[in-house]
Amino acid sequence: MKKIFAANWKMNKTPDESKAFVENFKVKIDQDFFKTRDIFIFPQNFSLAVTLSQCAQTPIRIGPQNIGPENSGAFTGENSLAVAKAMGSTTVLIGHSERRILNGETNEMIAKKMKLALQQSLLPVLCIGESLKERESRESNRVCSEQLEQALAGINAETEFIVAYEPVWAIGTGRVATADQVRQMHEHIFSTLSGRGFKNFKILYGGSVKSDNAKELIQIPHVDGFLIGGAALEVSSFLDICNSIK
Ligand code: PGA
């Protein structure tokens, strides 16, 4: 089965820098690259158009890092999923912890965005993960189950989606979850989703993924790939992670 390598560029990269990244990336990969890998890129919105056009002849999936609560209307400053789709997006990041923490996104808002994405047939990458305090008080499983259950409430069992498990304490901190922590949580997410009858899902790990930990983490059962922030900003470090599989 193919592994997924998803780049979350966060609030980085001008259109020119985004274009240069894709150009450089394309010359460094060979024809077989996509046989074993699915690549996703989540640029920031001002660079979405150029990234889409640069990736037009490739299987790379592109989408926004967030969407507004409706497809259109009086939501000044928000971004429309319908517009992102019209531009050519095929995926969308939903519920990233930075949005939950910095923008007060609740599980309820995230559930609404999941439904919008699915109505528009965009493949959602739903981010979940516990805080350090929640991990220390042994609440990781409960928090992640709750985030999953609320985001997926009312969603048909046949639906295709991706979950990115990103422990908040591991994001951008250089503090990666241990292989045991990743194994335990991915098993928990897999059995929770399977128990609800879902079949068409993948589970990514995210949080300080680098080339030196990717090889070990990618071998763990139910780790279907990675969501990568900092290390996805440079072609060389992103490719090193993509090459954690052969
Ligand atoms: P990081 O970010 O790889 O820089 O920790 C991951 C993410 O926030 O998706």
Side-chain angles (χ1 to χ4, degrees), residues 10-235:
K10 308 195 179 187
M11 204 172 72
N12 297 293
K13 291 199 188 294
T14 63
D16 281 352
E17 289 165 350
S18 306
K19 183 168 180 265
F21 180 104
V22 179
E23 278 171 349
N24 190 5
F25 184 72
K26 284 194 292 192
V27 298
K28 295 227 163 73
I29 56 177
D30 60 21
Q31 286 196 325
D32 290 341
F33 184 83
F34 293 108
K35 284 189 184 157
T36 48
R37 301 167 182 89
D38 282 323
I39 303 297
F40 289 50
I41 302 178
F42 298 99
Q44 65 99 23
N45 284 330
F46 295 120
S47 297
L48 190 59
V50 73
T51 310
L52 278 160
S53 72
Q54 282 301 306
C55 294
Q57 307 304 325
T58 76
I60 302 174
R61 279 182 180 265
I62 310 291
Q65 298 168 5
N66 173 47
I67 43 158
E70 301 286 348
N71 281 322
S72 62
F75 297 96
T76 302
E78 284 289 0
N79 291 293
S80 158
L81 180 76
V83 173
K85 183 180 177 176
M87 291 168 72
S89 299
T90 55
T91 183
V92 57
L93 208 56
I94 295 180
H96 190 280
S97 64
E98 283 152 18
R99 297 216 48 92
R100 292 178 190 259
I101 295 164
L102 303 172
N103 301 77
E105 282 196 16
T106 61
N107 284 332
E108 210 178 356
M109 290 157 81
I110 289 160
K112 201 167 173 196
K113 292 179 185 197
M114 283 294 289
K115 293 207 174 69
L116 274 182
L118 294 168
Q119 278 159 13
Q120 294 282 336
S121 308
L122 265 77
L123 180 59
V125 179
L126 167 67
C127 302
I128 63 165
E130 79 286 359
S131 67
L132 185 58
K133 196 165 159 238
E134 288 160 344
R135 174 155 287 272
E136 284 172 350
S137 47
R138 298 177 183 276
E139 289 187 295
S140 309
N141 285 9
R142 181 191 61 76
V143 168
C144 290
S145 299
E146 225 168 78
Q147 289 174 343
L148 280 177
E149 262 156 46
Q150 294 195 27
L152 297 170
I155 286 173
N156 182 302
E158 302 303 316
T159 303
E160 185 184 356
F161 61 91
I162 297 175
V163 170
Y165 168 59
E166 298 202 307
V168 176
W169 46 271
I171 294 179
T173 57
R175 188 177 159 181
V176 70
T178 64
D180 274 349
Q181 287 169 326
V182 175
R183 184 175 297 110
Q184 185 277 328
M185 192 51 84
H186 279 239
E187 175 60 45
H188 175 71
I189 294 167
F190 182 83
S191 53
T192 302
L193 293 174
S194 303
R196 297 285 177 278
F198 290 111
K199 293 176 272 301
N200 297 318
F201 63 87
K202 300 268 171 60
I203 312 170
L204 311 183
Y205 170 77
S208 297
V209 175
K210 304 275 181 288
S211 59
D212 54 6
N213 53 36
K215 275 205 184 81
E216 182 186 15
L217 296 175
I218 203 74
Q219 302 298 334
I220 296 172
H222 309 305
V223 172
D224 300 310
F226 299 126
L227 180 58
I228 307 145
L233 291 172
E234 299 296 332
V235 171

